[in-house]
Amino acid sequence: MAFGDTGLLFIIAHDNGAGLRALAPQTAHCEVTYSGPQAIDFTALNALSISGGSGGATPITLQNVFSVTPLGGNDARIAFDRDALAAVTEPQRSNIISAFVNGGTLSIAFGTDGPDEQLTVQLRALRTGDFVLGASADPHRAHVAHHPGVVGNNVLAPAELTATLAATGYNVSGITLTAEGHLVLPAAAAPPPPGSSGTQTLTLSHAPSGKSATLPVEVHVPTDLIVLLDRSGSMAANIGPGSSKWSVAADVASLFSVVCANMVPDRDVVGGSAAKLLGHHRTSIGRFHWAGGSEVVVIDPFVPASEAPSVPADAPGGSTPIGMALQDAASAFAPASKWRRRHVVVLTDGMDNVGSPRLQDLTAAELPALIDSAETGVVLHNISYVRTGDAPSAALEALCVSHDGQFDSTETDPADALAPEALRAAFLSVLPNIVPAELGGPVAVGATLPVEEGVDRLMLVVNQEGLSLGAQRDGALVAGTTSDSGHGYSWVIVDAPEAGDYGVTGAAAGELYAFFDLTLRTRFGAEARGPGQPVRVFAEVRHHGSPVSGADVRVTVNHPDESLGERLTLAARQGLLAIALRRKLIDPKQLKTAMDQASGQASSHVDVPSVRRQLLQATEALTGQDFARGQRELSLSEVQPGRYEASVEDTDHEEVYTLRFHASGNTPAGRSFARDRRLSVVLAPVPDAARSDTIIRNVAADNQTPLWAATVLPRSASGKPLGPGLVPQLAFHYLDKEDRHKLPKLATVDNLDGTYTTLLATDPNKLPKFGLFWGNPDAGQAVVVRPECPRVRRVSVRL
């Protein structure tokens, strides 16, 4: 039970003489639910007294500070009246703190059907608010951001208190407290890892008494965010009346900026370099394309996140230098500091097809990850606004994974991959990775979303602009809200919302999202190992640091129902591509441009669909069959308190699998909650050496230097052809790293029938070892061509 806004944390237990019966422990809300055998006359509840325990502090009595809600039977919910608690004077606060330090108790007098008893409350911890790491010249000092009404001096005898800050995969001990409530971390300490902001617990230990208590805290790492948009020509494509991919992307990105700004609580930071918590976060909008013979990457100056910058009215054009744009974004962050987080959210509708460095060639120096440098590392998130075959999803996802970020793609949307709703869902689901916030919905306007106890800020968003929204709780209008509109959306904000079911007024239709600052915290994830291997999905649910058991956790999986590589390979062998060329379903010049761009030999800087997209569109038109997709739902089982797991089986088909998580249940106090998240994983079309076919032969004329032609038909671990259109992810390289430096680079020819060829002009006794690699040749995933024992399979290409 949180004692109002006085900065105290209680754990309540009922002592009936036969041992303690725990009631619901509370940390951020002024109520406790009693459930037990005592028939309590709650109408007789009339006093609160605090004794000083062994310290002998003068007892304090507060009258008429309770409200009682019967729950049926002997159960009821007891709540402190916030206004009455606000009247507690400073001397009384000092006595309360003294009672904690000296092991005192809090007693509530109530009547039962038997003799009067005392409800005993053990004082266990102090609540000091949120903390901001790296907020001043002393980066190891975590400055406190107080909740409204919490005084600065709320820690007595700080020299006697030590603390440990913990999160998933993170633990810093030996932290000391100042009299103002600040934390001072050891000099070697590091900030928490990405994705754990807002999930920390602080364990306070009091050396003289030997007592300790754990309370949840929200730790904010000052953050710089760049929202980086693809401004290439393909983004000008119309997707509906009056809408283009660019206009939709600009609106959604601008809304994302607004939500980021509004979900960081507006709290004073005591002792930090900025007066408000939000002041430690900055945002920039970036755009990139190729124009006038060179890349154009514009990254606006960082501004305070509170300004919520929006995307300017640029016109798309040119091609797509993703690698160069990411290099420029990484260099835009300054100064270097491990105490400032650097996030990039890049949105693209295609593939990297021009410029240098190319996406697959980015080095750790050009785009450092946190594992490369804590001072300059970038957390990268990608949103692919694409249809099947548009983008090299595996390469983009791998880059996000290596940079601690989230990958998502709209291509698996069951309705329309380019619909605004698909992009909105992907963009907003990235938010919990950047600021301490959680996502609920979307649900249809008219429905409600549950809000549990302890939430400090609630933001309700509807996908329509120009509405004057109000908020409803359990059907009644909520007073004191603020609302606004812009970028195609409207929203209303409720501070310190009471628990209940929330909806909006002022909207007749559309989708409703809810964003919560953190009280109930979730973590969703997936581990994919490739085609034919199960994808393990998991969820973790914690309420104020404690695991939540008994939740209903489900995941909806949108997945490919056929192999794209197999479909394109079979189409080529059946002569469908030749037919498509004759019927002008494929423009040969456009196809050649896409192949040149993929191989790094760009003959044009005009944005064109990828090779795989052009081939798939042609086969769909000829066969009358769209690429097949499926959907299934799984329930996750609780494998340990608060952790839920399941496996996605039947993963023979490569490419993007999108996971939509939904977790619902009740907090320990019996309040309903619901959380949603989505993310995508890619089952990369990696070649399996044992299943792939190779052939090598001398194609030189007689009496000339041998010219070896090596051709590989790569197959995945599922035995399915990887298919055409995978250059440069698939490329021939020498096995020996020294050979890669001293010998001519191997060119990779995509034969468009699922096979890939390279040529080597050399004496047969000097033929170097080489193979067809997926991605970085140092990773070792390759189909090695062995001239002495080839697996022969002749491939005939007729276009």
Side-chain angles (χ1 to χ4, degrees):
M1 177 182 289
F3 191 5
D5 287 325
T6 62
L8 288 177
L9 178 79
F10 302 135
I11 292 178
I12 294 194
H14 173 226
D15 185 354
N16 65 351
L20 294 178
R21 291 179 182 166
L23 305 181
Q26 302 290 322
T27 57
H29 199 63
C30 299
E31 66 177 41
V32 61
T33 301
Y34 172 77
S35 180
Q38 298 293 328
I40 299 174
D41 179 8
F42 288 103
T43 60
L45 193 67
N46 57 13
L48 168 69
S49 63
I50 300 172
S51 63
S54 60
T58 303
I60 302 167
T61 300
L62 302 176
Q63 299 286 347
N64 303 319
V65 294
F66 304 106
S67 64
V68 179
T69 304
L71 298 177
N74 295 335
D75 301 345
R77 181 174 293 115
I78 311 167
F80 281 144
D81 181 271
R82 292 178 181 268
D83 293 335
L85 289 174
V88 176
T89 63
E90 180 55 39
Q92 290 174 320
R93 285 198 184 95
S94 297
N95 286 342
I96 295 170
I97 293 172
S98 177
F100 159 72
V101 172
N102 293 286
T105 60
L106 176 152
S107 297
I108 302 174
F110 62 88
T112 69
D113 55 355
D116 285 354
E117 299 185 24
Q118 294 290 312
L119 188 66
T120 301
V121 180
Q122 298 182 8
L123 308 186
R124 297 294 303 276
L126 303 177
R127 176 164 184 152
T128 50
D130 297 349
F131 294 93
V132 184
L133 293 174
S136 69
D138 181 2
H140 301 286
R141 180 182 292 263
H143 293 285
V144 65
H146 285 308
H147 288 254
V150 178
V151 296
N153 286 319
N154 61 356
V155 177
L156 187 69
E160 298 177 349
L161 293 170
T162 59
T164 299
L165 187 64
T168 303
Y170 180 72
N171 189 287
V172 177
S173 58
I175 300 172
T176 57
L177 280 78
T178 69
E180 297 78 22
H182 303 312
L183 305 179
V184 181
L185 282 66
S196 66
S197 292
T199 64
Q200 290 80 21
T201 57
L202 186 72
T203 300
L204 295 176
S205 300
H206 182 244
S209 68
K211 294 185 177 183
S212 64
T214 299
L215 67 155
V217 294
E218 293 178 13
V219 174
H220 296 254
V221 178
T223 297
D224 286 345
L225 167 65
I226 297 175
V227 182
L228 186 62
L229 301 184
D230 177 355
R231 192 187 153 196
S232 63
S234 56
M235 290 290 289
N238 289 328
I239 60 171
S243 294
S244 66
K245 287 195 287 185
W246 173 257
S247 66
V248 170
D251 273 342
V252 175
S254 298
L255 172 74
F256 181 74
S257 173
V258 168
V259 176
C260 283
N262 280 282
M263 283 316 300
V264 176
D266 191 28
R267 297 188 183 130
D268 292 329
V269 177
V270 180
S273 58
K276 297 289 185 181
L277 186 60
L278 185 57
H280 295 281
H281 301 275
R282 304 185 301 174
T283 302
S284 169
I285 300 290
R287 288 85 66 208
F288 65 93
H289 70 146
W290 189 274
S294 62
E295 96 281 5
V296 177
V297 181
V298 178
I299 298 176
D300 294 336
F302 286 100
V303 297
S306 57
E307 296 183 13
S310 59
V311 179
D314 292 328
S319 48
T320 316
I322 300 177
M324 299 185 80
L326 289 177
Q327 180 187 30
D328 287 355
S331 64
F333 294 107
S337 170
K338 70 178 181 180
W339 298 100
R340 176 164 284 277
R341 190 77 74 225
R342 295 160 291 277
H343 286 268
V344 174
V345 180
V346 61
L347 177 145
T348 178
D349 75 330
M351 63 181 294
D352 178 81
N353 55 24
V354 70
S356 178
R358 298 299 297 274
L359 180 67
Q360 72 275 8
D361 297 326
L362 279 170
T363 66
E366 293 162 337
L367 185 67
L370 289 175
I371 195 173
D372 302 315
S373 170
E375 285 72 28
T376 61
V378 174
V379 180
L380 176 66
H381 312 279
N382 178 82
I383 296 168
S384 288
Y385 190 26
V386 296
R387 300 157 299 176
T388 299
D390 273 339
S393 300
L396 289 167
E397 190 229 21
L399 198 61
C400 291
V401 171
S402 66
H403 286 73
D404 301 290
Q406 177 174 316
F407 169 82
D408 210 342
S409 173
T410 67
E411 73 174 76
T412 60
D413 189 274
D416 180 3
L418 300 184
E421 292 77 9
L423 183 61
R424 183 182 309 116
F427 237 119
L428 297 183
S429 200
V430 173
L431 181 75
N433 298 280
I434 299 172
V435 299
E438 292 272 335
L439 171 65
V443 298
V445 166
T448 60
L449 289 162
V451 176
E452 70 279 3
E453 74 278 9
V455 174
D456 282 330
R457 174 162 287 193
L458 170 68
M459 184 177 185
L460 300 170
V461 180
V462 175
N463 61 335
Q464 294 184 41
E465 190 169 0
L467 304 178
S468 179
L469 295 182
Q472 282 187 326
R473 171 183 173 269
D474 298 335
L477 190 65
V478 178
T481 63
T482 58
S483 63
D484 206 342
S485 172
H487 313 301
Y489 307 88
S490 302
W491 57 89
V492 58
I493 297 174
V494 185
D495 282 319
E498 295 185 42
D501 292 326
Y502 279 76
V504 294
T505 62
E511 289 184 328
L512 171 66
Y513 291 84
F515 296 92
F516 317 80
D517 80 322
L518 296 186
T519 175
L520 182 133
R521 291 133 175 173
T522 57
R523 190 168 76 98
F524 301 99
E527 297 176 2
R529 293 179 291 172
Q533 300 292 317
V535 177
R536 189 175 70 88
V537 295
F538 66 88
E540 293 178 353
V541 186
R542 304 181 74 85
H543 182 258
H544 291 315
S546 298
V548 175
S549 293
D552 181 14
V553 184
R554 301 176 182 273
V555 60
T556 300
V557 185
N558 291 90
H559 57 86
D561 233 8
E562 64 175 312
S563 165
L564 177 59
E566 184 176 49
R567 176 166 181 170
L568 297 181
T569 299
L570 291 176
R573 298 192 170 202
Q574 293 167 355
L576 294 182
L577 300 187
I579 296 173
L581 286 166
R582 288 199 301 270
R583 295 186 181 180
K584 298 183 180 181
L585 296 174
I586 297 177
D587 183 337
K589 292 183 178 180
Q590 193 175 75
L591 182 59
K592 183 180 186 304
T593 297
M595 295 178 70
D596 289 343
Q597 289 178 342
S599 63
Q601 306 297 322
S603 56
S604 169
H605 294 315
V606 177
D607 212 19
V608 299
S610 70
V611 172
R612 283 167 85 84
R613 185 63 204 167
Q614 293 184 49
L615 299 180
L616 177 59
Q617 285 184 164
T619 64
E620 288 178 330
L622 289 172
T623 63
Q625 295 179 338
D626 291 340
F627 184 75
R629 293 203 166 274
Q631 183 181 91
R632 59 184 182 270
E633 184 178 276
L634 298 174
S635 293
L636 280 64
S637 300
E638 189 169 8
V639 296
Q640 62 187 60
R643 183 176 174 91
Y644 303 80
E645 294 182 1
S647 289
V648 180
E649 308 290 342
D650 188 16
T651 58
D652 286 346
H653 308 311
E654 75 280 5
E655 297 300 333
V656 176
Y657 289 61
T658 296
L659 311 169
R660 291 172 170 82
F661 291 90
H662 179 76
S664 60
N666 295 304
T667 68
R671 295 292 194 176
S672 297
F673 70 83
R675 292 291 188 271
D676 295 273
R677 191 80 60 83
R678 59 168 280 165
L679 57 89
S680 297
V681 296
V682 180
L683 303 190
V686 177
D688 181 88
R691 294 178 178 270
S692 301
D693 298 339
T694 68
I695 181 172
I696 182 168
R697 53 183 176 163
N698 183 8
V699 296
D702 293 342
N703 301 320
Q704 292 186 3
T705 301
L707 180 62
W708 300 99
T711 299
V712 176
L713 175 64
R715 299 178 187 271
S716 71
S718 300
K720 300 182 182 299
L722 271 57
L726 292 176
V727 174
Q729 287 74 45
L730 273 180
F732 285 96
H733 297 281
Y734 302 107
L735 269 63
D736 192 319
K737 187 178 293 187
E738 292 186 4
D739 286 344
R740 292 178 215 151
H741 293 293
K742 66 183 182 181
L743 296 178
K745 183 178 179 180
L746 294 174
T748 304
V749 178
D750 183 349
N751 299 312
L752 297 182
D753 68 341
T755 67
Y756 297 81
T757 297
T758 191
L759 299 174
L760 295 92
T762 184
D763 185 278
N765 296 321
K766 298 180 180 179
L767 194 65
K769 294 180 180 180
F770 64 100
L772 184 68
F773 282 78
W774 173 262
N776 188 336
D778 293 327
Q781 294 174 301
V783 178
V784 178
V785 179
R786 304 184 185 280
E788 67 277 7
C789 186
R791 294 183 65 189
V792 177
R793 177 180 175 123
R794 293 189 176 277
V795 179
S796 177
V797 182
R798 297 180 182 179
L799 295 181

